[in-house]
């Protein structure tokens, strides 16, 4: 593992809440990055909780609103941040992911925009993590993407497009076809196609969680409205994101193939 570029600027606050990522041959490589907000009144309360052995929760990193960066759990260990979760058909995501907590009071305590110094630090940290682990863009997710029935973090104010411009995660360009479709109602066929797009992107769907899962998608990729209702705009975004995911996965396969040729 190469040395972390963020080394000197990071503060250490070891949390006891971690365990093994598994023993060989069952150990799986880190291939996922999960972003959270803390959802607590302030940074200190979040740090206290993430280090409380009774709470049994943690993350690998925490980023304060002024950009101060803490390491709580070494990346080689499994932190307890995702909980019951699912992405691209996989469960137990703590085993294969790195979790980053971003300080924000969240929807419960007064959700507010993520300040510039904080976003700059998040960007630097994520780039550093991605430089050391093979994490594909379609596996950089928010907590609400992988647990939409329980979680809404980091939420609709989080600047995913900015991160994508820095090479972190996906943000497809506006879909020209969506503009064309706008204004028409969403019929049964479009609905079926939209739910297929949602599943293809990675969201784990059941009839009971359809609306909250659509809301999670909207918070992330269409943050102007996240009521979980399927309209033409959401259908267009779903299609655009699906195409971006498939392009990323095809490029990955191509690289894998050329490595063996
Ligand atoms: Zn979370």
């Amino acid at each position: 593992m190469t040395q972390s570029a963020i080394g000197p600027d990071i503060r250490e606050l070891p949390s006891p809440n971690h365990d093994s990522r598994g023993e060989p041959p069952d150990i799986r490589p880190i291939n996922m990055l999960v972003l959270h907000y803390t959802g607590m009144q302030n940074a200190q309360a979040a740090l206290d909780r993430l280090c409380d052995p009774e709470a049994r929760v943690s993350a690998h990193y925490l980023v304060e609103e002024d950009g101060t960066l803490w390491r709580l759990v070494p990346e080689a260990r499994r932190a307890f941040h995702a909980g019951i979760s699912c992405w691209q058909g996989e469960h137990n995501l703590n085993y294969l992911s790195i979790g980053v907590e971003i300080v924000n009071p969240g929807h419960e305590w007064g959700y507010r925009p993520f300040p510039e110094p904080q976003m700059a630090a998040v960007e630097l940290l994520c780039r550093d993590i991605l430089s050391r682990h093979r994490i594909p863009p379609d596996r950089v997710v928010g907590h609400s993407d992988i647990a939409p029935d329980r979680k809404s973090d980091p939420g609709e104010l989080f600047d995913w497009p900015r991160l994508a411009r820095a090479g972190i995660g996906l943000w497809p360009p506006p879909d020209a076809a969506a503009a064309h479709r706008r204004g028409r109602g969403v019929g049964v066929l479009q609905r079926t196609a939209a739910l297929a797009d949602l599943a293809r992107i990675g969201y784990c769907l059941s009839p009971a969680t359809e609306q909250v899962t659509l809301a999670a998608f909207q918070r992330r990729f269409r943050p102007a409205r996240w009521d979980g209702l399927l309209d033409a705009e959401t259908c267009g975004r779903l299609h655009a994101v699906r195409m971006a995911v498939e392009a990323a996965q095809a490029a990955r396969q191509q690289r894998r193939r050329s490595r063996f040729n």
Side-chain angles (χ1 to χ4, degrees):
M1 196 181 285
T2 50
Q3 191 58 43
S4 163
I6 48 170
D9 294 326
I10 199 158
R11 299 186 190 187
E12 307 282 348
L13 185 69
S15 164
N17 301 329
H18 58 82
D19 62 12
S20 165
R21 286 194 182 269
E23 300 302 325
D26 290 330
I27 192 160
R28 291 184 283 174
I30 293 166
N31 62 12
M32 204 166 176
L33 175 58
V34 183
L35 304 187
H36 303 256
Y37 67 44
T38 51
M40 298 194 72
Q41 278 157 305
N42 54 55
Q44 192 56 53
L47 285 168
D48 288 347
R49 181 168 159 77
L50 293 166
C51 292
D52 176 1
E54 302 276 293
R56 298 281 295 164
V57 293
S58 60
H60 295 92
Y61 300 98
L62 177 141
V63 184
E64 292 194 42
E65 289 184 300
D66 66 359
T68 303
L69 176 59
W70 296 90
R71 179 178 10 237
L72 309 178
V73 173
E75 289 178 2
R77 302 286 292 172
R78 180 175 76 129
F80 309 148
H81 59 95
I84 295 168
S85 52
C86 176
W87 188 248
Q88 295 176 341
E90 285 179 298
H91 299 267
N92 295 328
L93 302 175
N94 284 338
Y95 279 105
L96 28 112
S97 62
I98 290 179
V100 176
E101 285 283 358
I102 303 163
V103 171
N104 189 296
H107 294 85
E108 194 178 344
W109 299 103
Y111 189 43
R112 58 190 183 217
F114 298 82
E116 168 55 29
Q118 185 179 39
M119 284 309 296
V122 167
E123 185 180 317
L124 194 68
L125 172 64
C126 291
R127 285 174 69 129
D128 184 66
I129 292 168
L130 295 183
S131 74
R132 285 176 290 106
H133 302 284
R134 236 178 239 157
I135 300 176
D138 51 293
R139 293 179 66 81
V140 177
V141 297
H143 199 185
S144 60
D145 293 322
I146 60 174
D149 52 336
R150 300 186 300 118
K151 296 290 173 179
S152 46
D153 60 314
E156 62 280 359
L157 294 178
F158 190 69
D159 195 351
W160 290 102
R162 175 206 173 119
L163 293 190
R165 283 195 297 276
I168 303 152
L170 286 176
W171 190 265
D175 177 18
H180 174 71
R181 284 191 296 268
R182 203 167 300 146
R184 298 189 199 172
V186 175
V188 177
L189 285 179
Q190 288 99 322
R191 185 168 186 84
T192 306
L195 294 178
D197 288 343
L198 200 57
R200 182 67 185 81
I201 292 163
Y203 291 89
C204 299
L205 271 172
S206 76
T209 59
E210 213 171 271
Q211 190 168 354
V212 288
T213 308
L214 275 167
F217 172 85
Q218 290 170 323
R219 276 186 206 277
R220 170 125 184 229
F221 290 106
R222 189 269 177 105
R225 218 186 80 191
W226 33 271
D227 51 11
L229 300 177
L230 202 52
D231 60 352
E233 174 85 29
T234 302
C235 287
R237 285 310 278 162
L238 274 162
H239 186 68
V241 176
R242 178 197 180 135
M243 299 306 278
V245 167
E246 289 184 342
Q249 292 176 352
R252 199 143 78 232
Q253 264 182 354
Q254 186 66 40
R255 270 198 305 278
R256 220 173 281 148
R257 235 176 270 135
S258 58
R259 225 179 293 140
F260 289 112
N261 283 343

